[in-house]
Amino acid sequence: MQLDSHQHFWRPSRGDYGWLTPDLVPLYRDFVPGDLAPLLDRHGIAGTVLVQAAPTVAETEYLLAVAAKAPFVKGVVGWAGFDQPGGPADIERLAADPRLKGMRPMIQDIADPEWMLRPAFAQSIATLEHSGLAFDALLRPEHLGPFKRFLKLYPNLPIVLDHGAKPAIAAGRLDAGPFDRWARDIREIAWDRRLRCKISGLATEAPAGWQPADLDPYLDVLLESFGPARLMWGSDWPVVEMAGGYDLWRKTALDYFARLSEDERRAILGETAVAFYRL
């Protein structure tokens, strides 16, 4: 089964998407299953993982309700207040829905890069593990240092790194600055063999009018570090509509993966995500 491991739905009128403002013209509208279905059909993709986009339990409940009516949604990654007193109870309650496969705090939007290391996290992580849920790590490069310590704190937690930790591709300089620091940190965390990584969200970090060659050095690092068996492709739709669209990103990824064996491509394009999220 070919799978899109990372996509979103939303309705701005729900009111809990703080980042989704009217100036984001391509994105500031409803995105629902009927919008995505033709794209999946065109590319022969049988299912998706639907990922949260708002830091509220209410949005997770909304996504679970959407997934119940959209057969191609094979699993949902939701949100809970990991450092809040009610976080563990919310996780346990939401996990009663078998469509919930993981949780994702929006770490990229939190000012303190060490927020994930707070002691208050521990009980929520324990509940996540007990419930059989995975953890989506939504990070930027500045979080990778604390993330190395996070991995040691929770050695039994299934974790996938979203969007390759959002490297600063638009900076366009492959020198001893941001690229080298990001690549070094990626290689270090990849030594943790239970860690998976999503090949997603890279186009939106690239400069306007990006070309496949702009992404190649970053894809090279991720492939070298994790290997095909620990990578999973995702569209990051509809956010990718701001960076060339679904079709361009899919073609770019397929062209890049053409160098791999059929088994390796099958892993990246579906099998790794199916196994990781227990779909």
Side-chain angles (χ1 to χ4, degrees):
M1 179 172 66
Q2 294 202 40
L3 194 86
D4 181 341
S5 72
H6 199 102
Q7 55 92 187
H8 308 284
F9 295 132
W10 55 64
R11 293 186 182 274
S13 61
R14 293 189 56 261
D16 51 2
Y17 307 96
W19 64 274
L20 185 56
T21 54
D23 59 300
L24 295 174
V25 177
L27 302 183
Y28 195 73
R29 67 171 181 85
D30 291 355
F31 284 91
V32 297
D35 297 312
L36 180 57
L39 296 171
L40 301 178
D41 289 344
R42 181 154 70 241
H43 294 285
I45 297 172
T48 72
V49 176
L50 174 58
V51 181
Q52 64 79 226
T56 67
V57 169
E59 195 231 8
T60 300
E61 294 169 337
Y62 162 72
L63 296 180
L64 290 169
V66 170
K69 298 179 180 180
F72 65 75
V73 176
K74 306 303 181 184
V76 172
V77 175
W79 181 94
F82 274 69
D83 63 339
Q84 298 173 11
D90 284 334
I91 294 170
E92 186 172 21
R93 177 177 60 82
L94 292 165
D97 189 321
R99 297 176 187 85
L100 190 73
K101 303 298 182 181
M103 302 295 280
R104 182 176 86 151
M106 300 182 77
I107 295 173
Q108 69 167 13
D109 297 330
I110 296 169
D112 179 6
E114 298 195 348
W115 176 79
M116 70 187 89
L117 303 175
R118 294 183 179 184
F121 245 65
Q123 187 56 51
S124 289
I125 296 294
T127 305
L128 202 69
E129 293 177 342
H130 178 74
S131 301
L133 299 177
F135 184 88
D136 269 54
L138 177 60
L139 312 180
R140 295 189 181 278
E142 61 265 28
H143 297 109
L144 289 173
F147 186 60
K148 296 172 193 175
R149 293 152 60 193
F150 180 87
L151 292 172
K152 293 178 181 178
L153 285 175
Y154 305 110
N156 300 315
L157 180 65
I159 303 174
V160 59
L161 179 65
D162 286 357
H163 312 321
K166 292 196 164 186
I169 302 173
R173 294 182 61 195
L174 304 181
D175 55 17
F179 175 81
D180 278 358
R181 288 193 295 271
W182 169 81
R184 176 202 63 206
D185 288 340
I186 289 293
R187 292 184 179 110
E188 289 181 5
I189 65 172
W191 279 102
D192 190 320
R193 300 297 298 177
R194 52 70 195 256
L195 185 62
R196 303 292 184 264
C197 180
K198 289 185 181 179
I199 298 288
S200 59
L202 299 181
T204 51
E205 301 303 317
W210 61 271
Q211 300 297 314
D214 296 322
L215 306 185
D216 282 352
Y218 300 87
L219 290 168
D220 290 346
V221 169
L222 296 175
L223 181 60
E224 170 202 331
S225 300
F226 289 96
R230 293 197 289 147
L231 296 175
M232 56 182 83
W233 181 85
S235 65
D236 198 25
W237 182 90
V239 182
V240 74
E241 295 304 316
M242 295 187 67
Y246 200 109
D247 293 339
L248 176 59
W249 167 232
R250 178 70 173 179
K251 182 181 186 303
T252 298
L254 291 180
D255 288 347
Y256 181 86
F257 298 143
R259 70 195 68 187
L260 305 178
S261 72
E262 183 178 349
D263 286 346
E264 290 170 334
R265 292 196 302 272
R266 278 205 302 264
I268 294 172
L269 297 176
E271 290 178 357
T272 298
V274 169
F276 177 79
Y277 285 116
R278 299 194 284 186
L279 303 181

